[in-house]
Amino acid sequence: NRRVEVVRDLFELLGQELQFKHSSDLEMIVIALIAFEILITLIKDGFEVLHVRRAGGRVDFMSAIGIIFVVTCVSLATAALLIFLWKKILNRMKERNI
C-alpha cells in the first residue's frame, strides 16, 4: 500500500514537471512571436514614414537616418533574442533526448 502511494506521488510529480516544461516552452514561443511582430511593425512603419516624406517632394535626411538607426538597433536586439531563445529550445530538446 505504501509503495503504491510513493509511485502515485512520483507520477504526480513527473506530470507537474512535464506541464511546467510545456508551459515554459509555450512562453518562449510567445516571446519570440512578439519580438518578430515588433520587428515587422517597426520596419513597416519606417518605410511608411519614408514614403510620406518622399511624397512631399523632399526627404528629411536626418529623419531617414534616425529611422534606419532605430530599425537596425531593434533588428539586432530581436535577432539576439531569437538566437537566445533558439539555443534554449535546442538545449531543452537535447535534455529530453538524453
Side-chain angles (χ1 to χ4, degrees):
N1 206 7
R2 173 81 175 132
R3 290 180 185 174
V4 172
E5 289 178 22
V6 170
V7 169
R8 186 181 311 136
D9 290 341
L10 284 174
F11 275 127
E12 285 181 26
L13 183 64
L14 287 174
Q16 290 173 355
E17 183 68 25
L18 285 175
Q19 185 178 5
F20 175 75
K21 283 186 177 184
H22 180 70
S23 64
S24 180
D25 290 344
L26 290 176
E27 185 177 308
M28 280 199 264
I29 290 169
V30 168
I31 290 171
L33 289 173
I34 290 171
F36 184 70
E37 182 181 3
I38 290 171
L39 174 68
I40 295 299
T41 302
L42 284 174
I43 290 172
K44 180 184 68 100
D45 289 346
F47 284 129
E48 284 180 11
V49 169
L50 287 175
H51 181 68
V52 167
R53 299 244 183 215
R54 283 190 193 139
R58 182 174 178 208
V59 176
D60 186 310
F61 186 70
M62 292 308 287
S63 293
I65 295 224
I67 290 169
I68 291 170
F69 177 74
V70 168
V71 169
T72 303
C73 289
V74 171
S75 299
L76 291 174
T78 304
L81 177 65
L82 291 174
I83 289 169
F84 171 76
L85 291 174
W86 184 251
K87 286 183 178 181
K88 282 268 229 207
I89 289 170
L90 289 178
N91 285 337
R92 286 195 179 176
M93 291 173 77
K94 287 179 184 177
E95 288 174 0
R96 288 180 184 170
N97 289 336
I98 291 176

XYZ file of all heavy atoms in Angstrom:
789
model
N 0.828 -1.198 0.000
C 0.000 0.000 0.000
C 0.868 1.257 0.000
O 0.574 2.229 -0.672
C -0.929 -0.033 1.218
C -2.177 0.780 0.968
O -2.403 1.245 -0.138
N -2.987 0.938 1.993
N 1.905 1.232 0.785
C 2.833 2.377 0.874
C 3.563 2.577 -0.461
O 3.780 3.699 -0.900
C 3.822 2.122 2.008
C 4.910 3.134 2.096
C 4.456 4.384 2.817
N 5.597 5.280 2.970
C 5.546 6.551 2.682
N 4.437 7.090 2.280
N 6.609 7.300 2.821
N 3.938 1.496 -1.102
C 4.635 1.573 -2.389
C 3.737 2.202 -3.454
O 4.204 2.979 -4.284
C 5.079 0.193 -2.840
C 6.188 -0.370 -2.011
C 6.592 -1.731 -2.482
N 7.590 -2.308 -1.598
C 8.046 -3.525 -1.693
N 7.578 -4.332 -2.632
N 8.947 -3.968 -0.861
N 2.475 1.858 -3.435
C 1.537 2.431 -4.396
C 1.427 3.940 -4.204
O 1.396 4.706 -5.169
C 0.145 1.753 -4.265
C -0.887 2.467 -5.128
C 0.235 0.286 -4.621
N 1.411 4.388 -2.959
C 1.354 5.824 -2.672
C 2.611 6.540 -3.169
O 2.541 7.634 -3.726
C 1.182 6.056 -1.172
C -0.185 5.677 -0.643
C -0.283 5.876 0.864
O 0.509 6.669 1.414
O -1.139 5.222 1.484
N 3.758 5.905 -2.972
C 5.015 6.506 -3.431
C 5.025 6.609 -4.953
O 5.403 7.644 -5.521
C 6.232 5.686 -2.926
C 7.514 6.159 -3.586
C 6.344 5.776 -1.410
N 4.595 5.561 -5.629
C 4.545 5.569 -7.092
C 3.565 6.636 -7.578
O 3.843 7.378 -8.518
C 4.182 4.174 -7.643
C 3.880 4.236 -9.127
C 5.307 3.195 -7.366
N 2.413 6.746 -6.924
C 1.420 7.756 -7.291
C 1.990 9.168 -7.117
O 1.816 10.028 -7.969
C 0.158 7.593 -6.443
C -0.950 8.530 -6.885
C -2.223 8.415 -6.052
N -2.640 7.035 -5.888
C -3.066 6.505 -4.735
N -3.149 7.244 -3.653
N -3.439 5.241 -4.667
N 2.693 9.382 -6.010
C 3.316 10.692 -5.784
C 4.362 11.003 -6.850
O 4.474 12.140 -7.318
C 3.952 10.749 -4.397
C 2.919 10.777 -3.272
O 1.744 11.113 -3.567
O 3.291 10.467 -2.126
N 5.124 9.988 -7.239
C 6.127 10.183 -8.283
C 5.480 10.531 -9.615
O 5.953 11.424 -10.340
C 6.997 8.936 -8.431
C 8.049 8.717 -7.357
C 8.738 7.375 -7.545
C 9.070 9.834 -7.373
N 4.389 9.852 -9.951
C 3.676 10.163 -11.193
C 3.115 11.581 -11.172
O 3.161 12.301 -12.165
C 2.556 9.158 -11.455
C 3.018 7.915 -12.157
C 2.734 6.671 -11.623
C 3.722 7.997 -13.347
C 3.157 5.522 -12.266
C 4.148 6.844 -14.000
C 3.864 5.609 -13.457
N 2.584 12.006 -10.032
C 2.077 13.376 -9.917
C 3.205 14.383 -10.099
O 3.051 15.389 -10.792
C 1.402 13.577 -8.564
C 0.044 12.932 -8.439
C -0.583 13.181 -7.074
O -0.241 14.193 -6.434
O -1.401 12.348 -6.659
N 4.340 14.100 -9.469
C 5.487 14.999 -9.577
C 5.987 15.079 -11.019
O 6.265 16.176 -11.534
C 6.612 14.523 -8.659
C 7.862 15.389 -8.595
C 7.517 16.749 -8.022
C 8.915 14.714 -7.749
N 6.079 13.947 -11.693
C 6.523 13.933 -13.088
C 5.518 14.659 -13.990
O 5.901 15.381 -14.905
C 6.722 12.499 -13.573
C 7.947 11.782 -13.022
C 7.943 10.317 -13.456
C 9.218 12.469 -13.461
N 4.236 14.472 -13.729
C 3.210 15.171 -14.506
C 3.306 16.679 -14.346
O 3.190 17.433 -15.316
N 3.542 17.127 -13.127
C 3.699 18.564 -12.892
C 4.940 19.108 -13.584
O 4.926 20.202 -14.148
C 3.768 18.845 -11.386
C 2.466 18.619 -10.664
C 2.629 18.736 -9.154
O 3.733 18.897 -8.641
N 1.510 18.634 -8.439
N 6.010 18.339 -13.551
C 7.248 18.765 -14.208
C 7.064 18.884 -15.712
O 7.510 19.838 -16.338
C 8.380 17.787 -13.886
C 9.724 18.168 -14.455
C 10.309 19.421 -13.823
O 9.953 19.735 -12.680
O 11.124 20.074 -14.492
N 6.404 17.921 -16.316
C 6.140 17.972 -17.759
C 5.246 19.154 -18.118
O 5.464 19.824 -19.122
C 5.515 16.664 -18.232
C 6.448 15.478 -18.344
C 5.664 14.226 -18.703
C 7.524 15.744 -19.382
N 4.245 19.399 -17.291
C 3.357 20.534 -17.546
C 4.128 21.850 -17.445
O 3.940 22.749 -18.259
C 2.199 20.529 -16.554
C 1.170 21.596 -16.817
C 0.016 21.522 -15.832
O 0.023 20.727 -14.901
N -0.976 22.355 -16.042
N 5.038 21.964 -16.472
C 5.841 23.175 -16.326
C 6.744 23.383 -17.532
O 6.844 24.493 -18.057
C 6.684 23.097 -15.051
C 7.628 24.251 -14.898
C 7.168 25.491 -14.514
C 8.979 24.095 -15.152
C 8.034 26.564 -14.380
C 9.849 25.149 -15.025
C 9.379 26.392 -14.634
N 7.396 22.324 -17.991
C 8.272 22.445 -19.160
C 7.480 22.834 -20.403
O 7.926 23.658 -21.198
C 9.031 21.142 -19.409
C 10.180 20.937 -18.476
C 10.988 19.720 -18.862
C 12.192 19.584 -17.955
N 13.062 18.492 -18.341
N 6.306 22.245 -20.564
C 5.473 22.568 -21.722
C 5.044 24.035 -21.685
O 5.126 24.744 -22.695
C 4.245 21.655 -21.753
C 3.336 21.923 -22.897
N 3.670 21.625 -24.197
C 2.093 22.485 -22.953
C 2.685 21.989 -24.997
N 1.717 22.505 -24.264
N 4.606 24.522 -20.531
C 4.182 25.918 -20.436
C 5.371 26.859 -20.621
O 5.238 27.934 -21.202
C 3.477 26.186 -19.108
O 4.362 25.994 -18.027
N 6.543 26.447 -20.166
C 7.740 27.261 -20.353
C 8.105 27.352 -21.836
O 8.480 28.419 -22.331
C 8.893 26.661 -19.560
O 10.058 27.419 -19.719
N 7.989 26.239 -22.546
C 8.248 26.254 -23.992
C 7.261 27.158 -24.715
O 7.647 27.932 -25.599
C 8.158 24.840 -24.563
C 9.308 23.951 -24.108
O 10.318 24.490 -23.622
O 9.172 22.721 -24.241
N 5.996 27.072 -24.347
C 4.995 27.938 -24.969
C 5.282 29.403 -24.677
O 5.109 30.268 -25.552
C 3.590 27.565 -24.483
C 3.044 26.235 -24.978
C 1.687 25.956 -24.348
C 2.933 26.222 -26.485
N 5.737 29.695 -23.487
C 6.072 31.070 -23.126
C 7.204 31.606 -24.002
O 7.154 32.740 -24.470
C 6.472 31.105 -21.654
C 6.721 32.482 -21.110
C 7.034 32.439 -19.625
O 6.257 31.830 -18.867
O 8.062 33.026 -19.237
N 8.210 30.787 -24.244
C 9.315 31.222 -25.103
C 8.849 31.432 -26.536
O 9.292 32.373 -27.200
C 10.454 30.201 -25.066
C 11.307 30.342 -23.852
S 12.891 29.567 -24.085
C 12.572 27.992 -23.337
N 7.954 30.609 -27.011
C 7.430 30.776 -28.367
C 6.655 32.080 -28.475
O 6.786 32.826 -29.451
C 6.561 29.568 -28.762
C 7.454 28.333 -28.951
C 5.763 29.844 -30.021
C 6.696 27.035 -29.092
N 5.859 32.399 -27.462
C 5.097 33.647 -27.465
C 6.038 34.850 -27.453
O 5.829 35.827 -28.187
C 4.116 33.694 -26.269
C 3.543 35.082 -26.081
C 3.008 32.687 -26.459
N 7.094 34.793 -26.662
C 8.067 35.892 -26.622
C 8.712 36.079 -27.988
O 8.878 37.203 -28.473
C 9.131 35.632 -25.534
C 8.500 35.765 -24.148
C 10.313 36.589 -25.674
C 9.399 35.313 -23.017
N 9.085 34.987 -28.632
C 9.702 35.076 -29.960
C 8.731 35.670 -30.970
O 9.109 36.512 -31.793
C 10.167 33.694 -30.420
N 7.470 35.270 -30.914
C 6.480 35.817 -31.850
C 6.242 37.301 -31.616
O 6.096 38.076 -32.570
C 5.171 35.043 -31.736
C 5.201 33.619 -32.287
C 3.892 32.898 -31.959
C 5.448 33.620 -33.777
N 6.224 37.727 -30.370
C 6.058 39.153 -30.069
C 7.241 39.943 -30.588
O 7.079 41.018 -31.187
C 5.857 39.361 -28.558
C 4.487 38.838 -28.131
C 6.002 40.835 -28.182
C 4.282 38.801 -26.627
N 8.451 39.433 -30.383
C 9.643 40.123 -30.881
C 9.604 40.229 -32.402
O 9.930 41.278 -32.971
C 10.898 39.383 -30.430
N 9.186 39.174 -33.062
C 9.090 39.185 -34.525
C 8.042 40.192 -34.988
O 8.266 40.934 -35.948
C 8.749 37.778 -35.032
C 8.734 37.667 -36.528
C 9.909 37.742 -37.251
C 7.547 37.483 -37.201
C 9.907 37.642 -38.631
C 7.522 37.383 -38.579
C 8.703 37.462 -39.294
N 6.914 40.253 -34.294
C 5.868 41.210 -34.650
C 6.346 42.652 -34.472
O 6.077 43.512 -35.313
C 4.626 40.977 -33.793
C 3.482 41.905 -34.131
C 2.272 41.677 -33.261
O 2.312 40.838 -32.346
O 1.269 42.366 -33.496
N 7.090 42.926 -33.409
C 7.635 44.268 -33.192
C 8.595 44.636 -34.313
O 8.560 45.756 -34.830
C 8.329 44.349 -31.814
C 7.285 44.289 -30.702
C 9.168 45.611 -31.694
C 7.872 44.140 -29.319
N 9.440 43.710 -34.693
C 10.392 43.963 -35.776
C 9.671 44.296 -37.078
O 9.989 45.287 -37.744
C 11.300 42.746 -35.964
C 12.252 42.802 -37.151
C 13.299 43.873 -36.918
C 12.891 41.453 -37.361
N 8.698 43.493 -37.442
C 7.951 43.726 -38.687
C 7.233 45.070 -38.644
O 7.236 45.825 -39.626
C 6.952 42.566 -38.930
C 7.697 41.253 -39.162
C 6.025 42.876 -40.096
C 8.604 41.249 -40.365
N 6.614 45.409 -37.520
C 5.898 46.682 -37.385
C 6.844 47.862 -37.527
O 6.526 48.844 -38.211
C 5.175 46.743 -36.029
O 4.276 45.651 -35.931
C 4.418 48.046 -35.878
N 8.014 47.779 -36.887
C 8.964 48.890 -36.998
C 9.465 49.060 -38.427
O 9.601 50.180 -38.917
C 10.139 48.676 -36.047
C 9.836 48.968 -34.580
C 11.025 48.578 -33.719
C 9.515 50.432 -34.387
N 9.732 47.976 -39.099
C 10.198 48.074 -40.484
C 9.103 48.666 -41.359
O 9.347 49.573 -42.162
C 10.651 46.691 -41.001
C 11.942 46.271 -40.295
C 10.848 46.713 -42.505
C 12.364 44.860 -40.587
N 7.866 48.179 -41.182
C 6.740 48.675 -41.978
C 6.513 50.168 -41.728
O 6.367 50.956 -42.667
C 5.471 47.899 -41.640
C 4.247 48.344 -42.421
C 3.006 47.591 -41.975
C 2.623 47.971 -40.593
N 1.580 48.897 -40.386
N 6.517 50.581 -40.467
C 6.306 51.994 -40.140
C 7.447 52.862 -40.648
O 7.234 53.996 -41.082
C 6.131 52.179 -38.634
C 4.812 51.630 -38.129
O 3.928 51.351 -38.972
O 4.670 51.472 -36.901
N 8.663 52.328 -40.591
C 9.795 53.096 -41.115
C 9.644 53.367 -42.600
O 9.876 54.487 -43.060
N 9.231 52.375 -43.357
C 9.022 52.570 -44.794
C 7.868 53.527 -45.056
O 7.917 54.321 -45.998
C 8.789 51.241 -45.504
C 10.050 50.444 -45.692
C 10.108 49.118 -45.304
C 11.183 51.011 -46.250
C 11.253 48.373 -45.477
C 12.341 50.283 -46.430
C 12.382 48.955 -46.035
N 6.811 53.465 -44.241
C 5.688 54.379 -44.422
C 6.117 55.823 -44.183
O 5.730 56.725 -44.926
C 4.536 54.015 -43.472
C 3.759 52.807 -43.912
C 2.634 52.470 -42.950
O 2.332 53.281 -42.054
O 2.055 51.388 -43.102
N 6.922 56.058 -43.155
C 7.394 57.419 -42.876
C 8.256 57.922 -44.018
O 8.105 59.060 -44.470
C 8.169 57.457 -41.538
C 8.893 58.786 -41.364
C 7.219 57.224 -40.377
N 9.146 57.075 -44.509
C 9.978 57.492 -45.643
C 9.131 57.781 -46.875
O 9.381 58.745 -47.604
C 11.025 56.419 -45.955
C 12.174 56.307 -44.976
C 13.063 55.134 -45.348
C 12.969 57.579 -44.907
N 8.112 56.973 -47.114
C 7.241 57.170 -48.264
C 6.472 58.484 -48.152
O 6.350 59.231 -49.130
C 6.272 55.994 -48.397
C 5.356 56.112 -49.570
N 5.819 56.029 -50.866
C 4.022 56.335 -49.653
C 4.794 56.195 -51.696
N 3.691 56.377 -50.979
N 5.970 58.807 -46.966
C 5.240 60.063 -46.760
C 6.173 61.248 -46.973
O 5.805 62.240 -47.595
C 4.616 60.099 -45.345
C 4.128 61.491 -44.996
C 3.483 59.099 -45.259
N 7.381 61.149 -46.495
C 8.335 62.255 -46.665
C 8.668 62.451 -48.149
O 8.834 63.565 -48.603
C 9.607 61.969 -45.873
C 9.347 61.835 -44.405
C 10.029 62.906 -43.667
N 9.806 62.696 -42.239
C 9.664 63.662 -41.397
N 9.737 64.896 -41.792
N 9.465 63.421 -40.123
N 8.787 61.368 -48.884
C 9.091 61.481 -50.313
C 7.911 62.055 -51.080
O 8.086 62.735 -52.075
C 9.444 60.118 -50.891
C 10.831 59.687 -50.548
C 11.232 58.464 -51.335
N 12.428 57.910 -50.762
C 12.664 56.647 -50.598
N 11.764 55.760 -50.953
N 13.780 56.233 -50.067
N 6.701 61.751 -50.647
C 5.514 62.251 -51.338
C 5.459 63.773 -51.290
O 4.917 64.403 -52.193
C 4.249 61.667 -50.721
N 6.031 64.375 -50.270
C 6.065 65.832 -50.166
C 7.117 66.448 -51.067
O 7.230 67.670 -51.148
N 7.891 65.636 -51.730
C 8.891 66.149 -52.647
C 10.276 66.239 -52.054
O 11.247 66.469 -52.761
N 10.392 66.083 -50.739
C 11.694 66.202 -50.110
C 11.829 65.154 -49.004
O 10.929 64.970 -48.203
C 11.837 67.589 -49.509
C 13.166 67.806 -48.876
C 13.336 69.229 -48.421
N 14.629 69.323 -47.772
C 14.923 70.175 -46.839
N 14.015 71.041 -46.453
N 16.102 70.191 -46.305
N 12.959 64.505 -48.971
C 13.230 63.523 -47.922
C 14.039 64.218 -46.836
O 15.081 64.808 -47.110
C 14.022 62.321 -48.476
C 14.379 61.363 -47.366
C 13.240 61.627 -49.562
N 13.537 64.166 -45.623
C 14.271 64.715 -44.482
C 15.374 63.713 -44.142
O 15.111 62.623 -43.638
C 13.311 64.910 -43.308
C 13.969 65.617 -42.154
O 15.071 65.181 -41.755
O 13.391 66.595 -41.658
N 16.601 64.088 -44.442
C 17.726 63.164 -44.333
C 17.928 62.675 -42.905
O 18.151 61.491 -42.662
C 18.994 63.842 -44.857
C 20.181 62.927 -44.912
C 20.229 61.890 -45.839
C 21.235 63.081 -44.040
C 21.313 61.042 -45.894
C 22.326 62.235 -44.084
C 22.362 61.212 -45.015
N 17.846 63.559 -41.930
C 18.067 63.168 -40.541
C 16.965 62.228 -40.048
O 17.225 61.307 -39.286
C 18.167 64.403 -39.639
C 19.417 65.228 -39.889
S 20.938 64.246 -39.844
C 21.087 63.933 -38.108
N 15.737 62.455 -40.493
C 14.651 61.550 -40.109
C 14.893 60.162 -40.688
O 14.677 59.154 -40.020
C 13.305 62.082 -40.597
O 12.975 63.261 -39.936
N 15.334 60.124 -41.933
C 15.610 58.832 -42.580
C 16.726 58.104 -41.850
O 16.626 56.895 -41.590
C 15.970 59.053 -44.044
N 17.783 58.826 -41.497
C 18.904 58.193 -40.780
C 18.445 57.720 -39.404
O 18.829 56.640 -38.958
C 20.074 59.183 -40.660
C 20.585 59.474 -42.031
C 21.118 58.667 -39.693
C 22.045 59.484 -42.229
N 17.627 58.522 -38.731
C 17.116 58.130 -37.414
C 16.279 56.869 -37.494
O 16.409 55.962 -36.662
N 15.411 56.804 -38.498
C 14.561 55.630 -38.658
C 15.416 54.396 -38.963
O 15.202 53.326 -38.397
C 13.518 55.862 -39.765
C 12.506 56.891 -39.290
C 12.831 54.565 -40.157
C 11.597 57.386 -40.384
N 16.380 54.544 -39.839
C 17.256 53.419 -40.183
C 18.029 52.958 -38.951
O 18.175 51.752 -38.710
C 18.209 53.812 -41.333
C 17.397 53.970 -42.626
C 19.315 52.787 -41.499
C 18.175 54.573 -43.762
N 18.500 53.906 -38.143
C 19.232 53.556 -36.922
C 18.344 52.778 -35.955
O 18.749 51.734 -35.426
C 19.770 54.824 -36.248
C 20.469 54.562 -34.954
C 21.732 53.996 -34.940
C 19.857 54.870 -33.748
C 22.385 53.745 -33.750
C 20.495 54.614 -32.551
C 21.760 54.061 -32.551
N 17.137 53.279 -35.729
C 16.223 52.610 -34.794
C 15.863 51.220 -35.302
O 15.884 50.242 -34.543
C 14.956 53.462 -34.560
C 13.888 52.670 -33.834
C 15.299 54.726 -33.800
N 15.543 51.116 -36.575
C 15.175 49.811 -37.138
C 16.350 48.843 -37.040
O 16.174 47.671 -36.707
C 14.682 49.960 -38.590
C 14.563 48.619 -39.280
C 13.343 50.688 -38.625
N 17.551 49.324 -37.292
C 18.732 48.468 -37.193
C 18.955 47.991 -35.769
O 19.204 46.797 -35.533
C 19.985 49.214 -37.700
O 19.756 49.633 -39.047
C 21.212 48.335 -37.636
N 18.853 48.898 -34.808
C 19.048 48.513 -33.403
C 17.997 47.500 -32.956
O 18.317 46.502 -32.304
C 18.997 49.745 -32.505
S 20.423 50.816 -32.681
N 16.751 47.753 -33.306
C 15.685 46.836 -32.918
C 15.864 45.493 -33.625
O 15.634 44.436 -33.039
C 14.300 47.451 -33.199
C 13.196 46.438 -33.011
C 14.074 48.657 -32.306
N 16.298 45.526 -34.873
C 16.530 44.279 -35.602
C 17.627 43.455 -34.943
O 17.481 42.236 -34.786
C 16.916 44.582 -37.050
O 15.907 45.268 -37.707
N 18.704 44.111 -34.546
C 19.794 43.388 -33.889
C 19.353 42.829 -32.536
O 19.679 41.689 -32.197
C 21.003 44.307 -33.720
C 21.721 44.682 -35.016
C 22.816 45.715 -34.736
C 22.308 43.462 -35.691
N 18.604 43.632 -31.785
C 18.116 43.150 -30.492
C 17.161 41.977 -30.672
O 17.213 41.001 -29.921
C 17.431 44.292 -29.740
N 16.296 42.071 -31.665
C 15.361 40.982 -31.931
C 16.106 39.729 -32.374
O 15.786 38.621 -31.931
C 14.341 41.406 -33.001
O 13.689 42.603 -32.579
C 13.318 40.327 -33.242
N 17.091 39.898 -33.228
C 17.878 38.742 -33.678
C 18.602 38.096 -32.498
O 18.630 36.863 -32.382
C 18.876 39.170 -34.750
N 19.159 38.915 -31.612
C 19.840 38.370 -30.439
C 18.862 37.611 -29.547
O 19.175 36.525 -29.042
C 20.506 39.493 -29.651
N 17.661 38.158 -29.371
C 16.647 37.482 -28.561
C 16.235 36.154 -29.194
O 16.126 35.136 -28.509
C 15.426 38.378 -28.391
C 14.245 37.780 -27.636
C 14.612 37.511 -26.183
C 13.049 38.700 -27.725
N 16.027 36.155 -30.498
C 15.625 34.927 -31.179
C 16.726 33.870 -31.125
O 16.442 32.686 -30.942
C 15.235 35.224 -32.622
C 13.939 36.023 -32.795
C 13.743 36.383 -34.266
C 12.759 35.256 -32.265
N 17.979 34.281 -31.251
C 19.098 33.333 -31.152
C 19.165 32.750 -29.744
O 19.343 31.543 -29.558
C 20.427 34.012 -31.544
C 20.446 34.287 -33.048
C 21.626 33.162 -31.131
C 21.575 35.173 -33.499
N 18.987 33.615 -28.743
C 18.990 33.152 -27.359
C 17.881 32.129 -27.128
O 18.106 31.070 -26.546
C 18.824 34.349 -26.419
C 18.605 33.967 -24.990
C 19.659 33.528 -24.217
C 17.345 34.054 -24.424
C 19.462 33.173 -22.891
C 17.135 33.702 -23.107
C 18.196 33.262 -22.335
N 16.684 32.448 -27.600
C 15.560 31.538 -27.417
C 15.775 30.228 -28.175
O 15.449 29.148 -27.676
C 14.261 32.201 -27.867
C 13.770 33.345 -26.985
C 12.559 34.009 -27.617
C 13.444 32.847 -25.595
N 16.321 30.319 -29.380
C 16.575 29.120 -30.176
C 17.571 28.205 -29.465
O 17.395 26.988 -29.414
C 17.069 29.502 -31.556
C 17.249 28.316 -32.451
C 18.425 27.786 -32.887
C 16.222 27.483 -32.988
N 18.183 26.693 -33.675
C 16.843 26.480 -33.754
C 14.839 27.500 -32.907
C 16.134 25.505 -34.417
C 14.134 26.526 -33.575
C 14.773 25.545 -34.312
N 18.626 28.780 -28.879
C 19.601 27.970 -28.145
C 18.965 27.314 -26.929
O 19.256 26.166 -26.614
C 20.789 28.833 -27.716
C 21.712 29.177 -28.861
C 22.912 29.960 -28.396
C 23.845 30.260 -29.545
N 25.034 30.994 -29.118
N 18.081 28.050 -26.245
C 17.388 27.476 -25.097
C 16.526 26.293 -25.524
O 16.503 25.255 -24.865
C 16.487 28.534 -24.436
C 17.201 29.510 -23.584
C 17.168 28.966 -22.241
C 16.735 29.868 -21.168
N 17.323 29.466 -19.912
N 15.821 26.466 -26.640
C 14.956 25.393 -27.130
C 15.798 24.177 -27.516
O 15.447 23.037 -27.192
C 14.104 25.882 -28.317
C 13.051 26.868 -27.816
C 13.447 24.724 -29.046
C 12.309 27.595 -28.914
N 16.920 24.399 -28.204
C 17.789 23.284 -28.580
C 18.345 22.568 -27.359
O 18.434 21.333 -27.340
C 18.924 23.772 -29.477
C 18.534 24.190 -30.891
C 19.759 24.690 -31.642
C 17.892 23.033 -31.637
N 18.727 23.328 -26.328
C 19.239 22.707 -25.105
C 18.172 21.848 -24.436
O 18.459 20.761 -23.945
C 19.749 23.766 -24.129
C 21.072 24.346 -24.566
O 21.806 23.730 -25.313
N 21.371 25.550 -24.114
N 16.947 22.335 -24.426
C 15.868 21.547 -23.818
C 15.588 20.292 -24.624
O 15.293 19.240 -24.063
C 14.609 22.389 -23.692
C 14.724 23.381 -22.592
C 13.419 23.945 -22.221
N 13.634 24.876 -21.133
C 12.697 25.599 -20.613
N 11.479 25.518 -21.066
N 12.965 26.419 -19.635
N 15.663 20.415 -25.942
C 15.447 19.228 -26.766
C 16.536 18.192 -26.526
O 16.270 16.994 -26.476
C 15.377 19.621 -28.236
C 14.141 20.422 -28.596
S 14.175 21.032 -30.263
C 13.766 19.544 -31.153
N 17.785 18.641 -26.353
C 18.883 17.721 -26.046
C 18.679 17.051 -24.692
O 18.937 15.861 -24.535
C 20.218 18.453 -26.060
C 20.701 18.823 -27.436
C 22.016 19.562 -27.372
C 22.462 20.026 -28.731
N 23.711 20.805 -28.667
N 18.208 17.831 -23.698
C 17.977 17.266 -22.378
C 16.898 16.195 -22.422
O 16.978 15.203 -21.727
C 17.548 18.365 -21.389
C 18.664 19.304 -21.007
C 18.170 20.455 -20.152
O 16.949 20.518 -19.858
O 18.995 21.302 -19.789
N 15.891 16.391 -23.217
C 14.800 15.419 -23.298
C 15.226 14.140 -23.978
O 14.734 13.058 -23.661
C 13.613 16.014 -24.042
C 12.893 17.064 -23.243
C 11.735 17.616 -23.993
N 11.119 18.689 -23.227
C 10.206 19.481 -23.695
N 9.775 19.352 -24.932
N 9.690 20.418 -22.940
N 16.155 14.238 -24.919
C 16.608 13.046 -25.633
C 17.592 12.218 -24.819
O 17.771 11.040 -25.078
C 17.242 13.432 -26.965
C 16.220 13.922 -27.972
O 15.053 13.588 -27.866
N 16.665 14.704 -28.923
N 18.257 12.845 -23.861
C 19.267 12.119 -23.075
C 18.632 11.288 -21.997
O 17.656 11.447 -21.466
C 20.289 13.110 -22.471
C 21.127 13.696 -23.602
C 21.180 12.437 -21.466
C 22.101 14.745 -23.178
